[in-house]
């Protein structure tokens, strides 16, 4: 079930977050340049997972996409080759991209599942912007985002939608479609963005209406694939493209009712499972570099160790 909040009014600014800049000159043509190194181009659309923005501040926002021409691939690589791919991005004041205000390029790498996190700065507070990406010959859809009010401001209104607990097998994501139609200023996702169960591991009354792929998620490949299946849903993609999101996880992004290093049921190697889940969550959400999981002890974040 998805719980959607109705319109709410917030006063004052938003909490200060750590910043890392990645912005280009505003003097840019409205056509994205062709990119890529001297390798054979892939003719498949890599933007099957859509686009997203998040963690808005008064002067900037995070832009996200992940290249995955085969989002349901069981190896979690999304059908991408083992090479870097240049991704160009633009931010504009209009949906036609006649007034581009920021632009740049980043490299999507295999180690990060070809996910892209761009921390844009230098924007104006409490303003609507539009963004898009290009990888080789392919363009993403256009996303809409909005910067936060100024820290000292007191806006007359601020529209927020809240969502949580979206079990893919229990129903269709039509509430996300409605959320997109509302075009809120901010979406708060309060956890359980996805569920870890194998098919019919959690049965709704009287039965589940959709089917997740693969076994229960325990490896990095499994979590990446599950994120890919969720983000392949067109209604969820529309909600991400409609507004910036601020996200937190609950339990099912890893394992039901886990706490610290204790899973719901006894499980050898849970430390590594948790590390895989955290890593996949960051790769698939519009989060800042300050949110990259950091580890102490013997948690191994290498792709080989995480499966």
């Amino acid at each position: 079930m998805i719980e959607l909040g109705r319109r709410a009014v917030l006063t004052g600014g938003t909490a200060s977050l750590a910043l890392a800049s990645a912005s280009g000159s505003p003097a840019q043509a409205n056509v994205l340049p062709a990119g890529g190194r001297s390798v054979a181009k892939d003719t498949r659309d890599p933007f099957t997972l859509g686009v997203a923005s998040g963690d808005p501040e008064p002067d900037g926002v995070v832009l996200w996409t992940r290249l995955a021409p085969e989002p349901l691939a069981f190896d979690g690589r999304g059908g991408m080759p083992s090479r870097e791919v240049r991704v160009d991005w633009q931010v504009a004041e209009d949906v036609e991209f006649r007034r581009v205000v920021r632009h740049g390029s980043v490299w999507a790498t295999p180690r990060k599942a070809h996910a892209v996190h761009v921390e844009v700065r230098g924007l104006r507070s409490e303003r609507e912007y539009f963004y898009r990406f290009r990888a080789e010959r392919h363009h993403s859809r256009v996303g809409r985002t909005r910067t936060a009010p100024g820290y000292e401001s007191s806006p007359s209104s601020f529209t927020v939608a809240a969502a949580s607990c979206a079990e893919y097998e229990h129903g269709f994501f039509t509430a996300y479609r409605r959320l997109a139609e509302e075009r809120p200023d901010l979406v708060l996702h309060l956890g359980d963005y996805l569920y870890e169960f194998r098919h019919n591991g959690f049965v709704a009354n009287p039965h589940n209406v959709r089917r997740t792929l693969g076994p229960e998620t325990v490896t990095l490949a499994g979590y990446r694939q599950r994120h890919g299946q969720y983000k392949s849903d067109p209604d969820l993609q529309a909600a991400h493209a409609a507004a910036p999101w601020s996200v937190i996880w609950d339990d099912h992004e890893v394992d039901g009712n886990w706490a610290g290093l204790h899973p719901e049921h006894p499980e050898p190697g849970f430390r590594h499972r948790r590390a895989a889940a955290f890593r996949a969550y960051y790769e698939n959400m519009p989060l800042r570099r300050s949110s990259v999981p950091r580890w102490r002890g013997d948690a191994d974040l290498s792709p080989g160790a995480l499966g």
Side-chain angles (χ1 to χ4, degrees), residues 285-307:
M285 291 293 178
L287 293 166
R288 298 180 183 276
R289 284 190 292 273
S290 58
S291 297
V292 174
R294 294 177 175 83
W295 305 100
R296 293 175 296 189
D298 60 355
D300 186 352
L301 285 172
S302 67
L306 298 180

Side-chain angles (χ1 to χ4, degrees), residues 11-306:
T11 60
T14 59
S16 177
L17 300 175
L19 285 172
S21 64
S23 61
S25 166
Q28 167 74 358
N30 66 350
V31 177
L32 282 166
R37 292 179 175 167
S38 55
V39 294
K41 300 293 191 297
D42 195 330
T43 59
R44 300 171 300 171
D45 179 13
F47 294 110
T48 61
L49 302 181
V51 301
S53 67
D55 275 358
E57 291 196 330
D59 69 341
V61 70
V62 179
L63 307 181
W64 173 93
T65 193
R66 179 183 159 209
L67 308 183
E70 298 175 17
L72 305 184
F74 280 91
D75 63 4
R77 300 179 188 274
M80 289 296 293
S82 298
R83 62 175 175 86
E84 295 182 339
V85 176
R86 194 178 98 177
V87 179
D88 303 302
W89 57 271
Q90 288 180 324
V91 177
E93 295 178 331
D94 63 305
V95 72
E96 293 84 12
F97 287 82
R98 296 191 182 98
R99 300 187 302 278
V100 173
V101 295
R102 289 291 183 272
H103 69 94
S105 298
V106 294
W107 290 98
T109 67
R111 178 170 176 77
K112 298 179 180 178
H114 290 93
V116 170
H117 298 79
V118 179
E119 297 183 32
V120 184
R121 297 191 65 176
L123 304 179
R124 303 173 70 180
S125 64
E126 205 173 349
R127 295 298 180 95
E128 181 180 69
Y129 290 94
F130 300 89
Y131 62 95
R132 63 183 178 181
F133 299 91
R134 175 170 174 159
E136 297 177 339
R137 291 176 288 181
H138 301 279
H139 283 88
S140 73
R141 70 185 296 167
V142 172
R144 169 190 176 268
T145 192
R146 189 174 178 86
T147 52
Y151 294 120
E152 302 299 326
S153 69
S154 181
S156 59
S157 67
F158 194 83
T159 306
V160 177
S164 66
C165 305
E167 220 292 9
Y168 185 88
E169 293 199 336
H170 287 182
F172 297 98
F173 287 167
T174 50
Y176 280 136
R177 173 65 61 175
R178 177 61 185 274
L179 184 156
E181 293 169 354
E182 296 263 338
R183 294 169 68 88
D185 297 314
L186 180 69
V187 176
L188 298 178
H189 200 287
L190 305 176
D192 291 345
Y193 182 89
L194 51 70
Y195 281 69
E196 80 281 15
F197 302 111
R198 60 175 174 78
H199 174 55
N200 281 339
F202 180 13
V203 179
N205 185 16
H207 56 78
N208 290 345
V209 298
R210 295 201 285 184
R211 183 187 186 97
T212 53
L213 298 177
E216 181 167 327
T217 52
V218 296
T219 66
L220 180 59
Y223 285 108
R224 283 173 170 174
Q225 183 201 41
R226 188 62 56 87
H227 276 281
Q229 184 169 18
Y230 270 64
K231 280 224 171 56
S232 296
D233 183 278
D235 293 334
L236 180 52
Q237 285 193 19
H240 273 297
W245 287 42
S246 289
V247 301
I248 60 172
W249 60 50
D250 196 4
D251 58 335
H252 289 289
E253 286 86 355
V254 181
D255 178 41
N257 299 316
W258 70 276
L261 293 176
H262 303 284
E264 183 174 26
H265 304 292
E267 178 181 330
F270 178 71
R271 180 188 299 270
H272 298 288
R273 176 183 180 179
R274 188 183 73 163
F278 286 4
R279 176 170 170 170
Y281 185 85
Y282 175 78
E283 290 171 344
N284 287 277
M285 291 293 178
L287 293 166
R288 298 180 183 276
R289 284 190 292 273
S290 58
S291 297
V292 174
R294 294 177 175 83
W295 305 100
R296 293 175 296 189
D298 60 355
D300 186 352
L301 285 172
S302 67
L306 298 180

